[in-house]
């Protein structure tokens, strides 16, 4: 994949992630300068923010959050989630 490939960019990052039931991230994420969109493909996934929780439970549920937002997660069922971050 060369630099001129239209499927390659430093501006966007896609992550196809599998998380097993019971998986958690016990610490808050480090600050960063990216925007994030998480889209639930299947499963049950909870995004944790200071003072707030967002449950993704139906296919297509999503959450968007901006730069430097502390977050973590808790996986309540085996889950497949698509993460989009920009700029990468």
């Amino acid at each position: 994949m060369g630099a001129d490939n239209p499927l390659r960019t430093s501006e966007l990052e896609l992550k196809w992630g599998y998380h097993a039931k019971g998986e958690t991230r016990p610490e808050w994420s480090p600050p960063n300068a990216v925007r994030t969109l998480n889209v639930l493909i299947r499963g049950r996934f909870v995004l944790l923010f200071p003072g707030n929780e967002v449950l993704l439970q139906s296919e297509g549920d999503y959450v968007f959050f901006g730069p430097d937002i502390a977050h973590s997660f808790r996986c309540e069922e085996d889950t497949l989630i698509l993460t989009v971050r920009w700029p990468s």
Side-chain angles (χ1 to χ4, degrees):
M1 293 184 110
D4 59 343
N5 185 316
L7 299 177
R8 183 177 179 169
T9 177
S10 62
E11 299 301 316
L12 184 72
E13 175 185 345
L14 297 175
K15 177 182 169 189
W16 190 254
Y18 173 79
H19 298 280
K21 180 179 179 178
E23 185 178 342
T24 63
R25 181 192 295 157
E27 69 281 346
W28 294 109
S29 63
N32 60 47
V34 300
R35 292 169 183 83
T36 302
L37 172 69
N38 291 116
V39 181
L40 183 70
I41 307 302
R42 68 172 178 266
R44 188 174 167 99
F45 196 78
V46 180
L47 271 294
L48 307 169
F49 301 95
N52 193 22
E53 293 186 3
V54 177
L55 171 63
L56 305 179
Q57 63 182 345
S58 299
E59 293 176 2
D61 282 356
Y62 67 92
V63 64
F64 167 79
F65 53 96
D68 298 325
I69 302 295
H71 64 283
S72 187
F73 69 85
R74 178 178 71 243
C75 191
E76 296 185 345
E77 294 177 1
D78 289 349
T79 296
L80 184 59
I81 195 156
L82 174 66
T83 301
V84 182
R85 294 185 183 112
W86 68 95
S88 181

